[in-house]
Amino acid sequence: MYSSVIAAMILLCSMPLSDARAINNPCQVQDIPSLTKQLTDTIEQMALANTSANDLMSALRGPGFLTEDDQNQLNATENLQDLPLLVEADNLTVTNMVDFLHESCRIVSTHIAYVQVALSEQVANDGRLLETELSHLESKLFELLCNVHALAHTKNASCATIESTVDASVVPSAIRNIQDATLRYMRNYILGKDTKIFLGNLKANFMTLLNKNEK
Ligand SMILES: *[C@@H]1O[C@H](CO)[C@@H](O)[C@H](O)[C@H]1NC(C)=O
Ligand SMILES: *[C@@H]1O[C@H](CO)[C@@H](O)[C@H](O)[C@H]1NC(C)=O
Ligand SMILES: *[C@@H]1O[C@H](CO)[C@@H](O)[C@H](O)[C@H]1NC(C)=O
Ligand SMILES: *[C@@H]1O[C@H](CO)[C@@H](O)[C@H](O)[C@H]1NC(C)=O
C-alpha cells in the first residue's frame, strides 16, 4: 500500500537539499488497515529508525571520527538545542489521540530537518562521509512520518500542516553550518543519541495506545 509513498520518498531523497526546503509531506493513504495493525506497524518502523540511528553512532565511533574521550564526553552530554525528545501526552487514548498525532508529526519532522542539515553539511564539506548512514536515517524517519500520517488519516486528520511549519530554520544557527569536521561529527553523534531517546519515548506512547486499543 505504501508504494506511492516510497516512490515519493525516493524522489525526495534524490532531490538536491537546499537549506530552506520545507519538509514536504510525501505521505498518501490508499487503504486503512485496522488500528491495531497500524499501531504495530508504526512501532516496528520506530525500531527500524532506531537501528539507523544506532548505525550512525557506530560509524561515528569508528576510526577517523570520534575518539574515546570525545565519546565519553558526548555520552554524558545533554540533547541538541531546540530538539524535542518527547511528545507531551497526558491521558492519551485512542479516542483523543489526534493532538498527540499532530505533535508526533511535528517532532518527527523536526528530527528529519536536523538529519537533513547534518546530511547536507556532510555532503558539502566532508567528501560525503556518513552520507549513507544519514540518508538511511532520513528515509526511516520519513516512513515513520507516513505511518503517523496514516493514523491521523484514520481520525480524519493529517500531517499536512508540517509543510508550512517545519524546515531547516528549526535548527538553531549555533549548531548549523559547522565548519570544523570534529564538531560536526559531535553534533551528528548527539543527534543520533537524541533520535534514539525520542524514539524510545514515542514507542512508550504507542505501547499505551496499543494496550488501550486491545482492551
Ligand atoms: C534502540 O536501540 C537500543 C540499542 O542500542 C535499544 O536498547 C532500544 O530499546 C531501541 N529503541 C527502540 C525504540 O527500538
Ligand atoms: C558511549 O555510549 C555507547 C552506548 O550508547 C557505548 O557503546 C560506547 O562504548 C560509549 N563510549 C564510551 C567511550 O564510553
Ligand atoms: C483523563 O481522561 C478521563 C476520561 O476521558 C477523564 O475523566 C480525566 O479527567 C482525564 N484526566 C486528566 C488529567 O485530564
Ligand atoms: C471521517 O469522515 C467520514 C466522512 O466525512 C465520516 O463518515 C467518519 O465518521 C469520520 N470519522 C471520524 C473518526 O471522525
Side-chain angles (χ1 to χ4, degrees):
M1 76 170 268
Y2 286 127
S3 58
S4 63
V5 172
I6 289 161
M9 282 189 307
I10 290 165
L11 191 68
L12 240 144
C13 295
S14 62
M15 288 191 317
L17 294 166
S18 95
D19 224 28
R21 184 162 64 88
I23 302 289
N24 291 314
N25 181 348
C27 314
Q28 289 170 27
V29 181
Q30 273 143 10
D31 60 83
I32 302 182
S34 74
L35 196 53
T36 297
K37 168 106 174 68
Q38 286 194 71
L39 292 168
T40 309
D41 288 351
T42 307
I43 291 167
E44 280 170 11
Q45 190 56 43
M46 286 172 209
L48 296 178
N50 189 62
T51 299
S52 292
N54 276 326
D55 290 347
L56 171 65
M57 295 181 76
S58 299
L60 283 163
R61 283 195 287 269
F65 290 101
L66 298 169
T67 65
E68 288 254 317
D69 281 351
D70 292 336
Q71 292 170 40
N72 268 326
Q73 185 195 337
L74 296 175
N75 278 356
T77 301
E78 294 297 305
N79 76 287
L80 290 176
Q81 194 185 336
D82 292 355
L83 184 60
L85 302 181
L86 184 70
V87 181
E88 297 291 343
D90 287 345
N91 222 7
L92 182 59
T93 69
V94 287
T95 49
N96 74 5
M97 69 180 182
V98 168
D99 287 349
F100 163 76
L101 293 174
H102 278 151
E103 193 60 2
S104 300
C105 285
R106 188 183 69 78
I107 298 182
V108 172
S109 302
T110 301
H111 280 256
I112 292 172
Y114 277 64
V115 171
Q116 288 182 336
V117 164
L119 177 59
S120 65
E121 290 181 22
Q122 285 301 130
V123 169
N125 302 304
D126 239 341
R128 315 189 85 94
L129 284 175
L130 304 175
E131 183 183 21
T132 305
E133 290 81 1
L134 287 163
S135 302
H136 284 171
L137 181 55
E138 182 194 30
S139 66
K140 297 301 170 213
L141 289 172
F142 264 122
E143 288 171 46
L144 175 58
L145 181 66
C146 291
N147 285 114
V148 178
H149 176 92
L151 272 164
H153 192 84
T154 310
K155 301 283 178 186
N156 286 345
S158 79
C159 291
T161 51
I162 60 166
E163 288 173 11
S164 52
T165 56
V166 180
D167 63 33
S169 69
V170 298
V171 184
S173 57
I175 53 171
R176 283 169 68 186
N177 297 318
I178 299 179
Q179 296 305 307
D180 180 82
T182 302
L183 290 177
R184 226 175 14 250
Y185 301 153
M186 289 179 157
R187 186 224 22 225
N188 298 346
Y189 187 88
I190 304 173
L191 175 57
K193 194 171 88 157
D194 286 352
T195 297
K196 284 174 60 179
I197 294 169
F198 168 60
L199 291 169
N201 288 333
L202 193 64
K203 182 178 175 182
N205 292 146
F206 273 79
M207 293 305 293
T208 300
L209 286 173
L210 190 60
N211 291 334
K212 286 187 180 168
N213 191 46
E214 280 174 345
K215 278 199 186 115

